[in-house]
Amino acid sequence: MGLRDEQVGRALQLIHTQPAADWSLASLAKKSGASRSVLAERFARFTGEPPMRYVGRWRMQIASSLLTDGESIGRVARWL
């Protein structure tokens, strides 16, 4: 549903394609073409959670998958 909103869709694309980036609400908003407050409100409305919580959860899902596939904790920590 968030993909229907231009700014939220762009933020989701950035998060999913660059999960290890040093994301902040400000950097996501800037690259999404929205103010911090607009992105935060829309993101939460469309995804059900704030942007930075989503980033953290997405990184944990990736880490879990990598660890399940046999990657070492050290390599996962360096990557994320």
Side-chain angles (χ1 to χ4, degrees):
M1 186 159 195
L3 295 175
R4 293 183 185 176
D5 181 275
E6 186 176 340
Q7 284 92 12
V8 173
R10 179 71 179 134
L12 287 167
Q13 178 187 26
L14 290 164
I15 293 164
H16 283 258
T17 59
Q18 301 172 48
D22 187 20
W23 293 122
S24 66
L25 180 57
S27 65
L28 276 173
K30 183 176 181 178
K31 290 191 177 231
S32 299
S35 70
R36 291 180 313 227
S37 60
V38 167
L39 181 63
E41 185 277 321
R42 287 183 181 174
F43 198 100
R45 181 168 17 116
F46 286 113
T47 67
E49 61 188 321
M52 299 317 296
R53 184 180 303 160
Y54 186 95
V55 169
R57 189 173 55 75
W58 178 240
R59 287 174 176 165
M60 292 301 286
Q61 287 177 331
I62 293 170
S64 176
S65 178
L66 290 169
L67 291 168
T68 299
D69 290 345
E71 198 64 62
S72 73
I73 292 173
R75 289 191 69 157
V76 171
R78 283 189 299 277
W79 186 76
L80 291 173

